[in-house]
Amino acid sequence: MKKLFPSYVRVPLVFAIVFMALEYFIDSGDKPAFIEYPMVSVFLLVFLFLLIAIEIVVSAVDRVTYSMLTEEQRKQLEEVQEISFTESKFVKGLMQKLSRSKSIEHESDIMLEHDYDGIKELDNVLPPWWVNLFYATAIFAVVYMFRFHVMNDYTQDQEYQQEVELANLEMEKHKLASPKEEITFEQVTLLTDAESLGKGKAIFTNACAACHKPDGGGIVGPNLTDEYWINGGGIKNVFKLIAEGSKNNPSMVGWAKTLGTKEVQNVASYVISLQGTKPAGGKAPEGEKWVASEETVAPVIDSATVKK
């Protein structure tokens, strides 16, 4: 691959493949993965840095290897056009600017006097890109210290609060863009109109009949047609049970997120409408007899009020 593609083609190509793979496999919603998840951006930057570093090392190895060849071997390589691309004038100049290292012909100028078992050391200068990066981090540290520790611009807690406020604004915009009626425990009312009860019955048949039977007589779940309730009767308690699930029975999960609170209100109203129907084969009463009080009775909404 190195002989077919030069480094300035190979590095962007490999980076693009990794970038597209991350975008494909990471579920980041509407935003790109490197924006939604900062760690993805960090990974991409580190990966790009490593790619460039590897190319620099490989290019240096190529140059050293090429310099060790005899003239005859070099001529043979030139004849078959297999000389590394790094021997071109363009790449030579680019590598010289990036590293400022001495060429092999002039390495004797920077050779240190001491050696270790015949191994000598070169006194090359630091690469400009590394020096400039170091200067940039030092400047950033000074600006950061002056801004946050001298001028006291803002604290992390303030930044967090600002982000929370922005998130709340975005949520409000989303609610305005796609309004959806939400019903709370305090707001829930008993619906008696045929349309609401019809919607509640349809949901009950699809989601609840498997445990409570289509007529509410009960199979695994309790009988919903008598006066006895495990978690309390009345529209408010039934609404809360369907919305949040039962702590006494893990199989009775909450349906608020799946259905929506308005639909939960319809189902709860339909369940209340089953009171006293006495279906054939209904289960024996479970729980305690429910006696309504003023605090637990929700107002009844008739069809005329619902239409309004």
Side-chain angles (χ1 to χ4, degrees), residues 137-303:
T137 56
I139 294 172
F140 175 84
V142 172
V143 173
Y144 184 92
M145 182 186 68
F146 183 79
R147 180 178 179 183
F148 295 104
H149 295 280
V150 178
M151 301 299 295
N152 294 322
D153 192 354
Y154 59 84
T155 63
Q156 291 183 340
D157 182 64
Q158 291 172 336
E159 183 180 13
Y160 169 76
Q161 296 298 333
Q162 291 174 358
E163 292 297 327
V164 170
E165 291 177 2
L166 290 174
N168 290 333
L169 289 175
E170 290 296 327
M171 292 175 61
E172 291 297 328
K173 290 179 181 179
H174 180 72
K175 288 181 180 180
L176 292 175
S178 56
K180 185 177 181 180
E181 186 177 1
E182 295 290 338
I183 306 296
T184 64
F185 175 80
E186 292 76 15
Q187 297 172 337
V188 65
T189 55
L190 179 63
L191 304 176
T192 59
D193 61 288
E195 181 180 358
S196 298
L197 295 179
K199 293 179 180 179
K201 180 179 180 180
I203 297 173
F204 182 90
T205 302
N206 293 327
C208 311
C211 294
H212 297 282
K213 294 180 67 173
D215 56 14
I219 307 176
V220 178
N223 189 336
L224 302 177
T225 65
D226 55 37
E227 299 178 309
Y228 293 82
W229 296 86
I230 300 174
N231 298 281
I235 185 62
K236 287 185 177 291
N237 289 321
V238 175
F239 172 86
K240 183 176 181 180
L241 177 65
I242 298 174
E244 301 177 2
S246 173
K247 296 180 180 179
N248 301 320
N249 184 7
S251 62
M252 178 60 196
V253 298
W255 290 86
K257 293 183 179 180
T258 305
L259 299 175
T261 54
K262 180 61 180 176
E263 287 70 20
V264 171
Q265 182 186 29
N266 292 334
V267 178
S269 297
Y270 173 73
V271 170
I272 297 297
S273 71
L274 296 176
Q275 291 291 287
T277 54
K278 298 180 180 180
K283 289 182 67 177
E286 299 177 62
E288 299 180 357
K289 185 174 182 179
W290 173 253
V291 179
S293 61
E294 292 183 359
E295 291 78 10
T296 58
V297 175
V300 177
I301 304 297
D302 58 20
S303 59

Side-chain angles (χ1 to χ4, degrees), residues 80-95:
V80 294
Q81 297 180 349
E82 290 186 354
I83 296 180
S84 172
F85 183 77
T86 56
E87 288 302 309
S88 67
K89 291 183 180 180
F90 170 76
V91 176
K92 273 187 174 181
L94 180 62
M95 295 302 298

